[in-house]
Amino acid sequence: MQPLVSLFLLFLLYLLFAGQITAPELTAAALTALAAAAYHLNIRRHAHRHFRFSAPWPRLARRIAFTLARDIALVGWGLIHTIAGHPPRAGEARQPFEPGGLTEPAAGHRAIAVLAASVAPNSYVIEVLEPPAGLLMHHLVPRPPAPDRKWPV
């Protein structure tokens, strides 16, 4: 059942990114979804280790939605200030972050944290810094660092 769900979701995702539903796009979506699902099944069949990553998904989803809404307002306010002749000072800032060790779950944690911190339009992660641990972030409109060092969204 899970491969069929993956196939259907990949098909829909392709159409979402294509932005149109035409015969060539439907064909491309079907072929791309089939290729990705076959690749996924092949990897699962030949994998010696099965990787599971745990994260506080509901909490992260709420925080990402809040950060997205807040940053849209911040960037909009920054655009208004720019139009008025007072552009905000874009720049880099250090975000405290606990990257974990060199294990596979820690690598997954870093990847999800970097992706989550880069979703909002105001900021994105430039680099994971070590030592001292942190994220080098670029902000269009300056804002204070997130208080959570483990999931800095």
Side-chain angles (χ1 to χ4, degrees):
M1 180 66 179
Q2 197 240 347
L4 291 176
V5 172
S6 296
L7 181 71
F8 182 69
L9 289 176
L10 290 168
F11 179 81
L12 289 179
L13 190 60
Y14 182 94
L15 290 177
L16 177 70
F17 285 132
Q20 59 184 350
I21 300 176
T22 61
E25 292 297 342
L26 289 171
T27 304
L31 292 175
T32 304
L34 280 171
Y39 185 68
H40 174 93
L41 289 174
N42 192 29
I43 287 175
R44 285 184 61 182
R45 188 168 42 116
H46 293 300
H48 298 288
R49 293 182 286 175
H50 295 284
F51 178 70
R52 297 248 188 255
F53 177 69
S54 63
W57 297 114
R59 185 179 76 162
L60 276 178
R62 282 191 308 271
R63 288 177 59 192
I64 289 171
F66 172 76
T67 303
L68 189 60
R70 181 193 65 202
D71 280 6
I72 287 172
L74 264 174
V75 171
W77 189 247
L79 287 173
I80 290 170
H81 277 257
T82 300
I83 291 169
H86 308 289
R89 294 185 44 185
E92 297 174 358
R94 183 184 190 87
Q95 165 68 51
F97 175 59
E98 296 174 9
L102 298 176
T103 64
E104 291 170 349
H109 169 251
R110 283 191 299 276
I112 296 296
V114 167
L115 178 65
S118 299
V119 167
N122 185 40
S123 57
Y124 62 89
V125 176
I126 297 171
E127 182 180 6
V128 177
L129 302 170
E130 293 180 31
L135 298 174
L136 182 61
M137 304 203 46
H138 180 273
H139 297 288
L140 294 174
V141 178
R143 70 175 178 91
D148 189 352
R149 294 177 58 92
K150 185 160 175 92
W151 297 101
V153 178

